[in-house]
Amino acid sequence: MSEIKEITEALLKFRDARDWRQFHNSKDLAVAVSIEASELLELFLWKGNEEVSVDRLKEELADILSYCLLLAEKHGLDVRQIIMDKIDQNAAKYPIDKSKGNATKYTDYDRIQ
C-alpha cells in the first residue's frame, strides 16, 4: 500500500468512527481546504517571510492535506497521478529556457521579450 493510500485509509477510519462522512460532501471539503489555507496564511500575517512557528505550520498543513486527500478519495482520484499530470502540464507551460529564474506567468512570456 502506498503512503498516500495508507494516510487516506487512516483518515477514513478516523472519520467513519465519528460518523462524519455525512458532512464530507464535495462542497464542504473544498470549503474546508480554503478555510484551512486561510489559517495557514494567518501564520505569516505581519511577520517576515520565514518567521513562522513550525509546530503551527505542521498543524495547518496537516489539515489542508487531510481535506485534500478526503476530497480526492471521494471522487476516486489517484493523488499521485493527478500531481504527476499537473507537473507535466506545467512543464509544457513553463519551459526551462523561458522560466528559469523568473516568476513570469506563461501568458506573459511574449511581453517580456
Side-chain angles (χ1 to χ4, degrees):
M1 178 183 292
S2 76
E3 288 182 8
I4 292 172
K5 287 187 187 280
E6 182 181 348
I7 294 165
T8 302
E9 290 297 320
L11 287 166
L12 294 173
K13 184 178 177 181
F14 178 88
R15 177 201 69 191
D16 293 346
R18 289 153 182 81
D19 193 26
W20 288 350
R21 181 183 215 155
Q22 62 185 315
F23 307 117
H24 286 186
N25 60 70
S26 298
K27 176 202 56 98
D28 287 335
L29 289 169
V31 168
V33 170
S34 180
I35 290 168
E36 296 300 339
S38 295
E39 290 179 14
L40 175 65
L41 284 173
E42 187 178 27
L43 299 179
F44 293 91
L45 184 63
W46 313 123
K47 297 179 181 153
N49 285 338
E50 303 303 327
E51 194 180 323
V52 64
S53 161
V54 174
D55 289 336
R56 292 291 320 279
L57 179 64
K58 290 189 309 188
E59 287 179 29
E60 298 307 336
L61 283 174
D63 288 340
I64 294 164
L65 292 166
S66 294
Y67 286 123
C68 287
L69 290 173
L70 288 167
L71 185 57
E73 187 277 334
K74 180 167 189 56
H75 290 275
L77 302 174
D78 180 329
V79 172
R80 181 194 172 283
Q81 190 59 56
I82 64 175
I83 292 172
M84 297 306 290
D85 290 347
K86 186 62 176 180
I87 291 170
D88 289 344
Q89 290 171 8
N90 284 341
K93 286 181 186 176
Y94 296 99
I96 293 170
D97 64 316
K98 292 184 178 180
S99 60
K100 189 170 185 173
N102 74 64
T104 303
K105 188 171 179 177
Y106 71 97
T107 55
D108 293 332
Y109 283 156
D110 60 341
R111 293 183 189 162
I112 61 169
Q113 296 191 18

